[in-house]
Amino acid sequence: MAAYTRLRYDVEKIPLAALVREVLAVDDLESLAASDRVATRETDQSTPYHRCFYDNIDVIAPLYRKLAQELLGRDAELHYVQRVPTFRVHLRNSLAVGEWHRDSDFGHDPAEVNYWVPLTRAYGNNTLWIDREPVHAEYGDVIVFDGAVSWHGNVVNDTDISRVSMDFRTIPRDSYRPSGKTSVSFGMPFLLGDYWDIA
């Protein structure tokens, strides 16, 4: 069984990379400066780029929601979608995610499905690895995988470019069960209106 499925979307119709460049006020996402230290689980969401992304989530949200709706298609009304996508910056000489993991280790529901959306080229040691295999992807690809049970993470980026991506999760509405658990990065309750929203 394949570790993931690759989907494509029209980057002219949903120009996420251009919008993120504008929000970050940079000309080229692949040219973000190299890091002077390797990120950890505690620091992998704390770069100035992350702050800028999340501070401008109201600008990004409409295009993100358009992408989620397109990917889910006719099934959109049957799912909840992560309200705020997770932003990842894999700077040269660093990590995008501080440790290898399965999402279920951090309280995520096994019914969730992960969507990984690279906004730059993703290859070699700057990419997402699923079950210890690197995923080569281009802008316009979406990698769909079972993050609750698949080991995934990354290695120190020794390529010539920084990789930028975002990811989000969906859950079938009939599988959603409110719980007292919270997300590891932001302490957000896994509840409708907090972590989850209608697609």
Side-chain angles (χ1 to χ4, degrees):
M1 184 173 177
Y4 60 85
T5 302
R6 185 185 308 268
L7 304 177
R8 292 281 302 169
Y9 69 98
D10 185 340
V11 299
E12 298 295 325
K13 196 165 85 172
I14 305 176
L16 276 167
L19 180 59
V20 172
R21 281 196 309 271
E22 181 180 322
V23 162
L24 299 186
V26 299
D27 293 329
D28 182 4
L29 296 176
E30 293 186 351
S31 296
L32 301 182
S35 178
D36 59 357
R37 66 180 62 90
V38 176
T40 65
R41 188 178 65 77
E42 293 75 23
T43 65
D44 63 17
Q45 285 284 306
S46 62
T47 71
Y49 305 116
H50 288 87
R51 283 191 292 279
C52 195
F53 180 90
Y54 294 120
D55 285 350
N56 289 281
I57 195 60
D58 289 344
V59 174
I60 295 161
L63 214 52
Y64 157 61
R65 294 182 73 75
K66 184 175 181 179
L67 174 65
Q69 290 167 353
E70 179 160 311
L71 294 173
L72 288 167
R74 294 180 182 177
D75 290 337
E77 64 185 28
L78 304 177
H79 291 80
Y80 294 131
V81 67
Q82 187 174 328
R83 188 172 60 81
V84 176
T86 307
F87 188 55
R88 311 285 184 187
V89 179
H90 200 169
L91 298 174
R92 288 166 286 152
N93 304 328
S94 191
L95 297 169
V97 178
E99 68 182 40
W100 286 78
H101 63 282
R102 295 169 301 191
D103 289 358
S104 58
D105 297 336
F106 297 114
H108 285 270
D109 192 295
E112 294 177 20
V113 175
N114 294 52
Y115 293 75
W116 182 65
V117 185
L119 303 178
T120 61
R121 293 173 291 161
Y123 63 90
N125 286 342
N126 76 16
T127 193
L128 168 71
W129 294 52
I130 302 173
D131 291 332
R132 307 289 177 177
E133 294 293 329
V135 177
H136 295 248
E138 299 289 330
Y139 176 45
D141 286 340
V142 177
I143 304 301
V144 184
F145 69 104
D146 186 352
V149 300
S150 296
W151 282 102
H152 56 286
N154 54 173
V155 298
V156 172
N157 179 2
D158 63 1
T159 70
D160 294 332
I161 68 168
S162 289
R163 183 260 295 170
V164 176
S165 62
M166 58 183 236
D167 53 79
F168 65 94
R169 296 162 185 83
T170 63
I171 190 168
R173 290 190 185 194
D174 60 7
S175 296
Y176 167 74
R177 303 287 179 270
S179 77
K181 297 176 182 174
T182 59
S183 67
V184 69
S185 294
F186 301 106
M188 194 176 294
F190 291 127
L191 297 174
L192 189 60
D194 288 305
Y195 188 86
W196 296 111
D197 202 354
I198 58 171

